[in-house]
Amino acid sequence: NWIKAIKRDHLYWPWHASELKGWQSNIAMTYQLESIPASYLLDHRGMIIGVNLDHRALKRILKKRLAKTEQS
C-alpha cells in the first residue's frame, strides 16, 4: 500500500523511510517531525542547516554555501 501511495501521490523525492511506528518512531522523535512530508537540508558534515525550506530559502542557502565553496 505504501508503494502504491507513493506512485498515486507522485511523491518522487529520492528517499522514503518509515519504521511503521507513527510519531513514536526513532526517526520522528530524533528529528522532531511534526508533519509529513518534512525536508531537511544537511551540510557536508551531516549537520542540519535547514528544515522545511520553501524554494526561495533553499535557493538562498545553496547560493551562499556554493559561493563559500568556490572561495575555498
Side-chain angles (χ1 to χ4, degrees):
N1 288 336
W2 185 12
I3 300 299
K4 288 179 189 175
I6 290 169
K7 290 177 182 177
R8 180 191 67 234
D9 296 341
H10 306 286
L11 306 175
Y12 296 123
W13 45 82
W15 300 288
H16 296 270
S18 177
E19 296 174 304
L20 302 176
K21 296 180 182 177
W23 299 114
Q24 300 308 310
S25 75
N26 289 330
I27 295 169
M29 291 188 294
T30 298
Y31 293 103
Q32 300 175 3
L33 296 177
E34 297 177 356
S35 66
I36 298 175
S39 64
Y40 295 84
L41 181 61
L42 308 177
D43 69 8
H44 66 284
R45 298 167 300 185
M47 301 298 293
I48 298 172
I49 59 173
V51 177
N52 296 330
L53 302 170
D54 66 23
H55 69 279
R56 292 175 298 272
L58 177 59
K59 189 174 183 177
R60 185 173 53 252
I61 290 172
L62 291 176
K63 186 175 180 178
K64 183 177 177 181
R65 292 282 176 148
L66 289 172
K68 284 183 181 180
T69 301
E70 291 174 359
Q71 292 173 0
S72 299

